[in-house]
Amino acid sequence: MVDDPNSTADTQAELPRSLGSVAAAAHGGPTAQGEPAEPAEQPAGVVAMVRLAAVLIDPDGRIARWNRTAEELFGHRTEAVQGRAASGLLPAVEPRQATDPLLPTARRCDAFDTLDDLTAGGAWAGLMPVTDREERPRSVLWWAYPLVEPDGRSLLLLAADARPLRMRGPRIAIGRRLLPYAAEGAQGSFHRISAALGPTAPGGAGALAPLLGRLDPARQRALLRQVAAAGAPALRMDASTRLPVVPPPNAPATAGVAALAAGLGRRYPTPQQRVAAAGLRVVPEPRPAAATQQPPSAASALPGQRADHAEPGQGRPPTTEPSTASAPPPTADRGGEQLALLNEVGGKVGTTLDLDATARELCQVLVPRVADFASVDLLDRLISDAELPEEQPDDDTMLRRVARSFAESSAWAHVLEEGALLAMPRSTPPGMALQRNQAVLVPLVTTDIAVDYAAALGGGPGLVPVVSGRSMLVLPLSARGTVLGILKLLRLPDRTAFDESEAATLMELAARAALSLDNARLHRAEAKVATTLQRSMIPTRPPRIPGVQIAHRYMPGDRRAEVGGDWFDAIQLPGSRVALVVGDVMGHGLHSAAAMGRYRTAMQTLAALDLPPGQLLRHLDNLAQKIGDDHLATCLYAVYDPINRTCELASAGHVPPVLVHPDGTGELLEIPAGAPIGVGGVPFVAKTIHVEDGSMLVLCTDGLVEVRGGDIGAGLAALCGNLIDPRRTPDEACDTVLDRLHSDDRKDDVALLVARFDGVAETEVATWTLEVDTAEVHRARALVREQLAAWRLTALSDTTELLVSELVTNAVRVARDYVQLQLIRVDKLLVEVSDDNHNLPSLEPAESMDESGRGLNLVSKLAERWGTARKAVGKVVWFEQPLPRDYS
């Protein structure tokens, strides 16, 4: 157990004497870790001490820093995320709906992508719930800072768990003294706490330096200066109070058991002294009555004592070992109580296949009936990766607190929160139980044992009285030959200490509970596979395409699994066009999700060929026939051209879309229905419509408009009513539709996509048709130069002319009838060169003096983005150039 810096201490010496004021606790000069802080870094005013997760994302989008608190809060280990792309790592609920992360209209997004967007105009602070690696919702306060560095724009993210802060309030530091912040009211009276920027803590932003780790000192100073300029992290306690936030001081790396003992004002005992005073026993499993019995004292194996008879990872010692002893037979009364307890555990533990709920049920059954405190700590790798570790637990094995329970009158409210990470070396009772896979009994926790325990958890001398004088029993949770974790039980001095008879019964209880936990673990692993599959197939945020604004939502029919066959997509095509897709695989479950993934991948591949909608559905249906997929799917495919203001649509048995005109009237588009993909032999007929700027196209699956036992026409009629205001954003339109039409009693999945058509002005597009003649290369350069001058983009002229000349040269070599050059100025400069030859060029290595192969190499090196695509006739090669920063 260890103090949670996000909460106030509850020991008697630290409780406030009166509510509504800051109490004077007895900490004095040293910090909570027992070491005096450096004067230059010790805050001199009033600050909030909050454990902060720190994530630093480099300009290339990869994670450069992920501290220990981030591991605890988000569940991802540092070694797994260091150096990987941040995008897609952490699912979230967008901030404007963060008041209730369980709202049916809550929009799922990617946390790091969303924070990157929110900081486009500067630093941002607020609440954004996320889903950690174990699929648990976390209410998180964020402070996000865009940082300018020589290589580009970095992103520094600080985060804190909002739940303990809002339940008990933060710890307050006043000068060199840590004091609890107390307010009138019941638990949860701090629910108004929110994240804010500024004021800077006394001493500047230097208190945040430990969060950045071992960065280059010059870089660290530069980043902290930018943080201070933007506004340091702060907590808004109420309308008029803001407290600067600083991380709690860490114990020095050299602070160990000896340093803690010195803080207690005594000489650190030798291992022999600890052996003599501890009274710790390794409790064997009950053996048959005929087995040789040994005195209980022979079962001792104390912290610090080398257990030569059982090395870590070797399991239980052989039954002939002289240091084990069978438990004394229980009396008849105690036997009845123990049987009743086992029966109760069988009825109340494992009622669901939820791992957290099962661990919580186990703790609640035991407190206060058996113990005053109970906690379940499982192997972190087992929870995070859902894999059985091959290696045996050792001193470096990380555990995660899954559940805890304690009597309300106890002083343990400030111990490790659920989700916290901890390590237990073999020198502690929990570490011994974990590594030896045996129950460890400590009838009385002496000060020496408490010091070892506090040191293992990184706590200070203030932790020692929390466990000192208690009775402790630690039971391994082992199932199917694998140690899953430990069950820790503590009793206060006013109760009878644990004995070996109780330990034997509780070992049987732990064995049964471990099977329930392992079943829940296996179920979580299967659910995680399905959820990962689903999320990998559905985009988290729409692409940014000039001339169109896109928003989408996905609502699973089964909230527990979040797996179905509905999907949506927005695919950018040449000429700033966009393909909009909504589809629905018939059926539910993992197989439907897998079929959906195949259809979506095939559709993206066919869309890259730039086929007309009718032909694309025809090819998709043929492909479904070839691969023998027995899942039918309805689908709607639409291509919007923002330059010509047209939209071409084709349907494969799907719900027709609704076009909302600029005046707010909704029109149900009449499109030839066709048949679902997979039926075969049915034509798909496309329809082209002209759309005005400001129109909205609403595409959805039948789960939104069809009510079981009702008529789908009623839902479509509601969708065509004055439901959507075209002056609102597509995101707001999605929320409005779901609020009005979706209800929790619907069992079908829902996919919704709303696109607002804004178009691209004619003045922003320049198109020329060139003859198939090498002399046209010079003309193309002149046309580009003149057009960029007219657009006041002469800064891009040299590079653009060079790249256009290379692409036009390649085009006239292979074209038969025509070459087309097009420039589009939107939020970037888009250049396209088209010809009537369908063979796509490939990027090949070229030496510096080569005549051929040089064009695409120049494009790949000098353009921000580039690509090639087939068209209905011929191909197009395109590239993008960013507009100058001072361009407006």
Side-chain angles (χ1 to χ4, degrees), residues 202-412:
L208 303 176
L211 298 175
L212 298 179
R214 299 180 178 179
L215 290 183
D216 176 72
R219 183 187 182 193
Q220 185 181 93
R221 288 192 296 271
L223 298 185
L224 291 177
R225 279 196 299 269
Q226 295 184 56
V227 170
L235 288 179
R236 188 184 299 277
M237 310 301 295
D238 51 44
S240 59
T241 305
R242 281 191 303 172
L243 295 180
V245 170
V246 298
N250 295 320
T254 57
V257 179
L260 292 176
L264 294 174
R266 60 177 174 80
R267 183 177 65 85
Y268 182 63
T270 65
Q272 291 75 17
Q273 290 171 321
R274 299 198 343 257
V275 166
L280 181 148
R281 302 189 182 98
V282 175
V283 182
E285 291 184 352
R287 291 184 292 172
T292 303
Q293 301 207 5
Q294 301 291 339
S297 60
S300 298
L302 305 177
Q305 182 181 23
R306 181 175 181 82
D308 296 327
H309 54 275
E311 289 301 319
Q314 296 301 317
R316 297 178 175 85
T319 57
T320 57
E321 179 186 340
S323 62
T324 60
S326 62
T331 64
D333 291 342
R334 175 173 287 187
E337 293 177 2
Q338 293 170 342
L339 181 61
L341 177 61
L342 292 175
N343 289 335
E344 185 176 354
V345 169
K348 294 185 177 180
V349 178
T351 59
T352 68
L353 286 175
D354 182 85
L355 183 63
D356 296 341
T358 301
R360 201 168 291 117
E361 289 169 348
L362 176 59
C363 292
Q364 291 171 352
V365 165
L366 297 174
V367 175
R369 179 171 180 173
V370 174
D372 296 300
F373 177 90
S375 66
V376 172
D377 303 329
L378 301 181
L379 300 181
D380 176 60
R381 179 176 170 185
L382 195 72
I383 301 172
S384 301
D385 300 335
E387 297 178 352
L388 290 176
E390 297 179 359
E391 65 276 3
Q392 296 293 333
D394 55 25
D395 284 2
D396 295 325
T397 299
M398 299 302 298
L399 300 173
R400 186 176 291 274
R401 177 141 299 171
V402 180
R404 65 168 191 172
S405 183
F406 51 86
E408 292 183 1
S409 60
S410 303
W412 286 320

Side-chain angles (χ1 to χ4, degrees), residues 96 549-551 553 696 724-736 754 756:
R96 62 185 179 83
Q549 301 177 45
I550 301 170
R553 300 287 190 274
M696 280 189 175
I724 298 176
D725 185 351
R727 294 171 299 180
R728 311 293 291 273
T729 66
D731 274 322
E732 293 169 331
C734 285
D735 295 339
T736 301
V754 176
R756 176 188 173 91

Side-chain angles (χ1 to χ4, degrees), residues 92-103 105-107 124 126-130 138-142 162 166:
V93 176
E94 63 178 7
R96 62 185 179 83
Q97 295 172 346
T99 53
D100 185 356
L102 300 181
L103 282 175
T105 58
R107 179 190 176 191
W124 178 86
L127 176 73
M128 182 169 65
V130 302
R138 293 276 192 174
S139 185
V140 179
L141 297 176
W142 294 88
R166 291 180 165 181

Side-chain angles (χ1 to χ4, degrees), residues 271-632:
Q272 291 75 17
Q273 290 171 321
R274 299 198 343 257
V275 166
L280 181 148
R281 302 189 182 98
V282 175
V283 182
E285 291 184 352
R287 291 184 292 172
T292 303
Q293 301 207 5
Q294 301 291 339
S297 60
S300 298
L302 305 177
Q305 182 181 23
R306 181 175 181 82
D308 296 327
H309 54 275
E311 289 301 319
Q314 296 301 317
R316 297 178 175 85
T319 57
T320 57
E321 179 186 340
S323 62
T324 60
S326 62
T331 64
D333 291 342
R334 175 173 287 187
E337 293 177 2
Q338 293 170 342
L339 181 61
L341 177 61
L342 292 175
N343 289 335
E344 185 176 354
V345 169
K348 294 185 177 180
V349 178
T351 59
T352 68
L353 286 175
D354 182 85
L355 183 63
D356 296 341
T358 301
R360 201 168 291 117
E361 289 169 348
L362 176 59
C363 292
Q364 291 171 352
V365 165
L366 297 174
V367 175
R369 179 171 180 173
V370 174
D372 296 300
F373 177 90
S375 66
V376 172
D377 303 329
L378 301 181
L379 300 181
D380 176 60
R381 179 176 170 185
L382 195 72
I383 301 172
S384 301
D385 300 335
E387 297 178 352
L388 290 176
E390 297 179 359
E391 65 276 3
Q392 296 293 333
D394 55 25
D395 284 2
D396 295 325
T397 299
M398 299 302 298
L399 300 173
R400 186 176 291 274
R401 177 141 299 171
V402 180
R404 65 168 191 172
S405 183
F406 51 86
E408 292 183 1
S409 60
S410 303
W412 286 320
H414 66 292
V415 299
L416 278 178
E417 291 280 353
E418 293 177 3
L421 285 173
L422 60 151
M424 285 294 173
R426 188 185 177 92
S427 60
T428 64
M432 181 179 293
L434 178 70
Q435 296 184 32
R436 296 187 60 177
N437 193 14
Q438 287 185 277
V440 174
L441 170 64
V442 188
L444 181 66
V445 178
T446 64
T447 303
D448 304 299
I449 295 291
V451 168
D452 278 350
Y453 197 28
L457 290 169
L463 255 185
V464 174
V466 177
V467 292
S468 215
R470 281 41 168 166
S471 178
M472 177 187 293
L473 177 63
V474 187
L475 303 163
L477 295 170
S478 179
R480 300 179 177 95
T482 301
V483 180
L484 308 178
I486 53 175
L487 169 63
K488 188 188 310 173
L489 304 174
L490 284 165
R491 280 181 179 171
L492 292 171
D494 58 356
R495 297 180 65 165
T496 305
F498 289 109
D499 58 29
E500 293 191 1
S501 176
E502 287 180 299
T505 301
L506 293 172
M507 286 167 64
E508 173 65 23
L509 180 149
R512 296 185 183 185
L515 286 175
S516 297
L517 289 168
D518 197 46
N519 290 336
R521 177 191 66 82
L522 293 173
H523 176 74
R524 169 180 282 190
E526 293 178 1
K528 184 175 288 189
V529 169
T531 304
T532 301
L533 176 65
Q534 178 79 14
R535 288 180 178 170
S536 67
M537 297 175 183
I538 294 181
T540 57
R541 65 174 181 174
R544 295 178 179 177
I545 302 174
V548 60
Q549 301 177 45
I550 301 170
H552 45 57
R553 300 287 190 274
Y554 173 76
M555 302 295 298
D558 184 354
R559 291 185 179 275
R560 294 170 298 177
E562 295 193 8
V563 176
D566 293 19
W567 86 93
F568 48 79
D569 227 334
I571 308 167
Q572 187 167 3
L573 302 176
S576 288
R577 293 174 301 138
V578 58
L580 306 173
V581 185
V582 169
D584 183 4
V585 175
M586 298 180 184
H588 296 276
L590 192 59
H591 293 293
S592 295
M596 177 268 286
R598 291 193 290 271
Y599 282 132
R600 179 171 181 251
T601 301
M603 180 159 283
Q604 287 182 325
T605 303
L606 294 171
L609 300 177
D610 202 9
L611 299 174
Q615 292 185 27
L616 184 141
L617 294 181
R618 174 77 272 148
H619 284 288
L620 186 64
D621 186 60
N622 291 339
L623 182 61
Q625 298 291 322
K626 290 179 181 178
I627 64 178
D629 201 323
D630 57 354
H631 285 82
L632 301 179

Side-chain angles (χ1 to χ4, degrees), residues 621-704:
D621 186 60
N622 291 339
L623 182 61
Q625 298 291 322
K626 290 179 181 178
I627 64 178
D629 201 323
D630 57 354
H631 285 82
L632 301 179
T634 64
C635 181
L636 183 67
Y637 185 82
V639 175
Y640 170 62
D641 187 336
I643 298 176
N644 297 322
R645 271 75 173 178
T646 60
C647 186
E648 187 177 7
L649 308 95
S651 174
H654 198 76
V655 177
V658 172
L659 180 66
V660 181
H661 295 282
D663 60 0
T665 59
E667 176 189 358
L668 188 66
L669 298 180
E670 296 182 0
I671 304 173
I677 300 297
V679 172
V682 179
F684 300 98
V685 180
K687 179 178 181 178
T688 301
I689 61 173
H690 291 274
V691 292
E692 300 178 63
D693 291 350
S695 303
M696 280 189 175
L697 186 66
V698 182
L699 300 87
C700 66
T701 55
D702 57 4
L704 179 65

